[in-house]
Amino acid sequence: MKILYVVNSFRYPFVEGNIKQVFEIAEKFSKDHDVKILNFSNCKMSISNIDIIPFEEFSNEYFDVIHFYNPNIKILGKTFFFKAKKRIVTFGDGDVKSFISYAPSFFLKIFRFDHCHLYSKQQVKNMKKYEIIPPLKPNFKPIGKKSKNPTLLFLHATVEHKGFTDSIDAFKIVNKKYPNAKFKIISFRNCFQFEKVPKNVELINTVVDPQVELSKAWILLYPIRRNQSTFAVPLLYMEAAQCNTPFIGTSLGSLRDYFNSDFLVEPKNPKSLAKKIIDILDNYDKYLHKIKHGDHLNVKWENDDVISKLKKLYF
C-alpha cells in the first residue's frame, strides 16, 4: 500500500506537535507500507527510511491513501487533482474554524475527503461526520535529577497567545513567597524582548534536550490563551508528566476533555496561575503522585489503539 502524508511545513528536530504526530504515525505505517511525506516548506531529507519531499520536486502518482494534516486552501488547491483511493484530513489545531471558515460539511465534500479525523469534538461546531481519535502519546522518561531550587519551565515560543506574559507575571507573584524559585525560558522562536530580564529568570535560545530540561524542572508552564494556532492536545503536558514534572495548562476546548482540572487554570489570569503554582509547590508530593499514577489524564488510551483506528480509516 502507498501512503502519502501532506503537511504545510516540516522542520527537524521537531518543535511542533502536529508535525511530530505526522512523522511518528508515518514511521509506524512505514514498517509495512510505502510511505512518503510531502511538505510545502522546501524541506528535503530522509529519516528512518521515510522520504520527506518538497512540493517542487514531487512527482504526482497514484496513492492508496493521501492523509492531509492541517491543510490550508492553497495546499488543497495545489493537490486537488492528486489521485488516491482514499483522501483523509486531520485537523490538529485546537480551533478548526481557522481552517474551515464556512460550512464544514461542504468543505469535506468539495475536496473529496472520505474521512475527517479530529482529536476532540471541542475543535469544531456544526460538523456532522468526523472520527475522534486521540494523538499518539509521546515516549519520554526522566533523565537526571530535579534542580536544587524550585524551577519553573516555559518551553515554547515566547508569544502572548502561548501564555508567555501570563507566566512572567505569575512568576513575579510566586517569587515573593518562594524567593529562591527560578524561571527558565527556553524558546525556539524568541518573539519577546525584555527591557530588563526579571530577577531569577534565565533565557535560553539554543537547542536543548527537552527530556533533560523537563526532568530538571519542578513545574512546566504552558497556559495557552486561545485554542487557535495550538495543537488540540498539547503533547508537552504529557511529556512533562512522563518526566515526573507537574504541568499547568488552561481550561480551554480539548484540554478540558483530556486533562484533569487539577492541572488547569483560567486563561489570561496570572493571579490564578500563580495560585496554582504555589499550590503545587506547597503540595508537591500530592501532584507528583497524581502524574505518576496517570491521574493527570481524563482519557485513557494506548498508542496501539490509535494505529488500529487509523487503519480502519485507511483500509
Side-chain angles (χ1 to χ4, degrees), residues 173-237:
I173 298 172
V174 172
N175 225 192
K176 294 177 181 178
K177 180 172 182 178
Y178 285 91
N180 64 331
K182 308 292 183 183
F183 188 19
K184 184 180 286 189
I185 301 165
I186 303 174
S187 176
F188 65 90
R189 189 170 79 243
N190 192 13
C191 304
F192 186 89
Q193 298 297 325
F194 289 104
E195 291 183 7
K196 181 180 179 181
V197 178
K199 182 182 178 182
N200 292 335
V201 172
E202 180 183 5
L203 292 171
I204 299 174
N205 294 117
T206 57
V207 176
V208 300
D209 184 336
Q211 291 185 86
V212 172
E213 296 300 333
L214 286 169
S215 299
K216 289 180 181 178
W218 287 43
I219 304 174
L220 169 76
L221 303 184
Y222 190 24
I224 62 171
R225 285 185 155 212
R226 69 182 190 217
N227 295 321
Q228 188 177 342
S229 302
T230 300
F231 190 38
V233 188
L235 302 179
L236 197 53
Y237 297 161

Side-chain angles (χ1 to χ4, degrees), residues 237 249-251 255-256 259-266 276:
Y237 297 161
T250 41
S251 52
L255 278 63
R256 293 193 298 264
F259 300 102
N260 188 316
S261 59
D262 287 347
F263 296 86
L264 305 177
V265 297
E266 295 178 5
K276 176 57 69 175

Side-chain angles (χ1 to χ4, degrees), residues 23 27 30 33-36 45-52:
F23 180 78
E27 191 173 34
S30 69
H33 305 283
D34 180 8
V35 171
K36 295 178 181 178
M45 62 173 66
S46 182
I47 312 173
S48 299
N49 295 320
I50 298 175
D51 290 332
I52 292 88

Side-chain angles (χ1 to χ4, degrees), residues 38 44 48 53 55 62 71 75-76 103 123-124 134 136 147 163 189 191 196 201 203 225 242-243 248 253 263 297:
L38 174 66
K44 182 179 181 180
S48 299
I53 308 168
F55 179 75
Y62 180 86
I75 289 175
L76 291 174
Q123 290 176 257
V124 66
L136 288 175
S147 58
R189 189 170 79 243
C191 304
K196 181 180 179 181
V201 172
L203 292 171
R225 285 185 155 212
Q242 289 174 345
C243 292
I248 303 177
F263 296 86
L297 291 171

Side-chain angles (χ1 to χ4, degrees), residues 18 69-72 89-102 104 107 116-127 161-162 222 224-234 252-258 268:
N18 274 312
Y69 273 79
N70 277 354
N72 56 37
V89 62
T90 291
F91 289 111
D93 197 87
D95 189 353
V96 175
K97 72 180 180 182
S98 61
F99 292 86
I100 308 177
S101 57
Y102 44 88
F107 172 89
C116 176
H117 163 219
L118 302 176
Y119 297 105
S120 166
K121 62 182 180 181
Q122 303 289 346
Q123 290 176 257
V124 66
K125 296 179 181 179
N126 304 322
M127 184 182 286
H161 75 268
K162 298 293 185 181
Y222 190 24
I224 62 171
R225 285 185 155 212
R226 69 182 190 217
N227 295 321
Q228 188 177 342
S229 302
T230 300
F231 190 38
V233 188
L252 289 170
S254 306
L255 278 63
R256 293 193 298 264
D257 288 349
Y258 279 88
K268 307 178 185 179

